[in-house]
Amino acid sequence: GDLSSFLFGNIISVTTEDVVAIGILASLLIIGALLWIKPIMYMTFDRDFARSIGVNTERIGYIMAVVIAITIVLSIRVMGIVLLISLMTLPVIIANTITKQFTRITLLSSIIASLCSLIGVAISYYIEVPSGPAIIFVLTLALIIVKLLSLHPKKSPKANEDNI
């Protein structure tokens, strides 16, 4: 229970019960997302429109707040608040730079978080650094690369024909 473990996590303190609880939470989140993706999407982007088509925005808002709180509570011991906040924000920013479609952002951000975590853990193992900062480094590097690539102007086929 020291400040360092809350900020950066402590993988050694993880119990079997923690892993089971996070697994159950992840399963419930996946099932919930698959079942209620449209109402969640409508409420996230336009609460008034969602309300006008009969979506109970108040209930969804409360459920989302509770799920986020439970996720933070269950994950803070393993990851620490710094890695947790990074994993909750950076993959979504990276995915949003690549695509603007909500369902693609959702799927792509999960893939990005998983890949960057695996790469970060591998890096931490081989160069003997803590895994949390290594994962954050990989996520930040991925964000920088994607942002730089998105700044590169795309040539349209019409522009190429004009130059010939």
Side-chain angles (χ1 to χ4, degrees):
D2 62 357
L3 180 61
S4 177
S5 91
F6 283 113
L7 287 175
F8 304 109
N10 186 357
I11 198 77
I12 296 169
S13 69
V14 177
T15 64
T16 304
E17 291 82 17
D18 291 333
V19 174
V20 170
I22 290 173
I24 291 170
L25 177 65
S27 300
L28 291 174
L29 287 175
I30 291 168
I31 291 167
L34 292 173
L35 292 175
W36 297 294
I37 190 76
K38 292 261 188 212
I40 292 170
M41 183 176 61
Y42 294 152
M43 198 206 79
T44 303
F45 288 107
D46 191 347
R47 191 176 288 256
D48 294 330
F49 172 74
R51 198 174 297 120
S52 73
I53 62 170
V55 174
N56 189 339
T57 56
E58 191 172 314
R59 181 184 304 153
I60 291 175
Y62 287 135
I63 291 170
M64 288 173 64
V66 167
V67 166
I68 290 169
I70 291 170
T71 301
I72 290 171
V73 168
L74 290 177
S75 303
I76 204 163
R77 181 188 298 168
V78 178
M79 296 183 235
I81 195 70
V82 175
L83 179 57
L84 181 62
I85 297 300
S86 297
L87 282 171
M88 291 178 78
T89 56
L90 290 176
V92 177
I93 295 168
I94 295 167
N96 195 27
T97 302
I98 297 169
T99 184
K100 300 299 180 208
Q101 188 177 0
F102 182 75
T103 52
R104 287 185 183 165
I105 291 171
T106 305
L107 180 62
L108 189 57
S109 63
S110 298
I111 293 168
I112 290 167
S114 299
L115 285 174
C116 288
S117 295
L118 288 172
I119 293 168
V121 168
I123 289 171
S124 74
Y125 176 78
Y126 287 111
I127 64 173
E128 298 179 11
V129 296
S131 59
I135 293 169
I136 295 170
F137 173 76
V138 172
L139 282 166
T140 305
L141 189 62
L143 176 64
I144 291 168
I145 291 169
V146 168
K147 286 291 188 181
L148 287 175
L149 289 175
S150 72
L151 293 176
H152 191 278
K154 295 177 181 154
K155 293 183 181 180
S156 67
K158 180 73 175 154
N160 289 337
E161 291 174 6
D162 293 338
N163 293 335
I164 297 179

